[in-house]
Amino acid sequence: MRGDRTDTRAALWRIAAGQRGYFTAAQALEAGYSYQAQRYHAQRGNWTAVDRGVYRFREFDVLPGGEDDHLVRWFLWSKGRATVSHITALSVHDLGTANPAQIHLTVPPGFRQKGDAVILHRAELPQDETEERGGYRVTTPVRAIVECAAAQMDQDVVDSAVADALDRGLATPRGLLHAAQRLGARAELGVGWALQETR
């Protein structure tokens, strides 16, 4: 029996390790933990309950983590449907002066969940405009810039992000303008202003 428990924990640990220690109730169930066992581990403090149906192994609470560990939690909260986007994606890519107070996520149009700590944007994202990170998904640097311009976020943030992206070879002026045109006039205008600032 002890061996079975160890195997079950090892299976869940393997899942959680790739998600910065986070896992869902569904993943725990798949690894072999009944809902009753899940309640037990949360009540005993073996797991930290971070949201409804989302847990984290308590060992990860004391390990040094990355600044973006919390984004995995929101990816799991969305059942893998959310992509970190807009100014939060700029911060992930370390572009410009982005310092978001809230987490911006892009979700499919039919997404119904709500969270007080997140701002949800609804769109279908092309696969080539997203990147996989350790345990979550984020929009590419170019997409993050143009969606910030389209949402009319602070022009200084867009300007600094464009300058950094160009300096680091993450984007070209032509590529930025083309991506902005696909998102509409506001995106094109914001990116155009930012490109003028870099001349």
Side-chain angles (χ1 to χ4, degrees), residues 14 21 31 34 62 71 82 93 138 141 161 168 174 182 192-193:
R14 279 192 296 276
S34 67
V62 296
L71 298 176
H93 294 299
V138 62
R168 288 163 48 191
R174 185 176 177 179
R182 289 199 312 261
W193 282 340

Side-chain angles (χ1 to χ4, degrees), residues 147-162:
E147 61 197 6
C148 283
Q152 294 183 306
M153 294 183 176
D154 190 333
Q155 188 62 39
D156 288 342
V157 169
V158 176
D159 292 350
S160 63
V162 166

Side-chain angles (χ1 to χ4, degrees), residues 65-77:
E67 290 180 18
D68 58 349
D69 281 2
H70 65 290
L71 298 176
V72 178
R73 171 238 174 126
W74 291 106
F75 181 74
L76 294 174
W77 166 84

Side-chain angles (χ1 to χ4, degrees), residues 25 54 78 120 177 180:
V54 179
S78 75
L120 299 179
L177 280 173

Side-chain angles (χ1 to χ4, degrees), residues 47-58:
W47 303 349
T48 304
V50 295
D51 207 330
R52 183 180 172 146
V54 179
Y55 301 98
R56 194 180 200 201
F57 277 114
R58 67 183 168 93

Side-chain angles (χ1 to χ4, degrees), residues 87-143:
I87 195 167
T88 310
L90 291 183
S91 179
V92 167
H93 294 299
D94 195 24
L95 288 173
T97 59
N99 187 18
Q102 288 182 289
I103 297 163
H104 290 255
L105 302 172
T106 296
V107 294
F111 189 83
R112 298 207 185 289
Q113 286 176 253
K114 292 180 182 173
D116 292 339
V118 293
I119 295 174
L120 299 179
H121 306 270
R122 286 175 169 74
E124 293 291 349
L125 291 170
Q127 195 170 359
D128 64 346
E129 293 184 358
T130 66
E131 298 175 0
E132 297 294 329
R133 289 288 173 117
Y136 68 95
R137 193 170 44 249
V138 62
T139 54
T140 61
V142 169
R143 173 70 190 209

